[in-house]
Amino acid sequence: MLSSSPLQRLGINIDHVATIRNARGGRHPDPLRAAHLAIEAGADGITAHLREDRRHISDADIARLKAELTRPLNLEMAATDEMLQIALRHVPNACCLVPEKREERTTEGGLDIAGLHNTLLPYVERLKGAGIRVSLFIEADPRQIEASARLGADIVELHTGAYCERALDDDAAGVAAEIAKLAAGAKLAAAAGLEVHAGHGLTFNTVGAVARMAEIVELNIGHFLIGEAIFGGLHGAVRRMRALMEEARLAGSSRRSA
Ligand code: PXP
């Protein structure tokens, strides 16, 4: 992603705006509106995961994001021929290759780059050939980092899910171990010439320890922020609904008494 911040870039993942929209079908809430709002609030880029089962983001969302966004689009996708064709059609700023299992609720664990070198190589080559930066979502494991560099990726995104789970469990020793792993991984990846991103499960409570790592130049955050936005925004939305109801009643009664 391009930089608008001298510090660390923030990519906002808008998948779960689409999750809420899809719960009813229709168009509300619109992930594009959320993307524009996120950018207005200081996001450096927008991330969207087009899943094979289209459970949240749709093909049309990707087309609109690409057409309308004023900041870079990071398209998360599985390494499949279908997704490759979509990426080549829309040419996002970056593609983040992620593992995908139909039955999972979210992206569990990183890609096994070491084991999938030959499978992934043509995808990396085609994407890079089209001018798309290639990011690989991996665990902060030296074997995976070295394999990512060998594969020719531009970026690795380190999976922060295990760290965030230990934090949720109040497991201080586990948190320390995961943070040490992420810090060592970030250093190793940067030394291997990879741009280092991180994300998954980050919250207001967990972001600090990762944001502090100098080698990590971008964080991608979604689920927590979309959830938190409910609490930031519900109050005003309810008040506006009440005001509209009251306005309508008053207008009705003044028509009746006229
Ligand atoms: N980075 C990657 C590669 C992801 O797959 C996800 C989840 O879609 C995220 C970051 C953001 O995770 P979260 O929604 O938990 O903040």
Side-chain angles (χ1 to χ4, degrees), residues 13 15-16 49 76 96 98 106-107 137 157 199-202 220-224:
N13 181 315
D15 292 351
H16 296 299
H49 184 176
E76 289 179 5
C96 181
V98 300
T106 181
T107 313
F137 191 42
E157 179 159 332
H200 208 279
L202 291 169
N220 284 300
I221 307 180
H223 183 266
F224 171 78

Side-chain angles (χ1 to χ4, degrees), residues 187-207:
K187 278 195 173 29
L188 183 65
L194 292 158
E195 185 171 306
V196 191
H197 300 180
H200 208 279
L202 291 169
T203 66
F204 293 149
N205 289 333
T206 52
V207 72

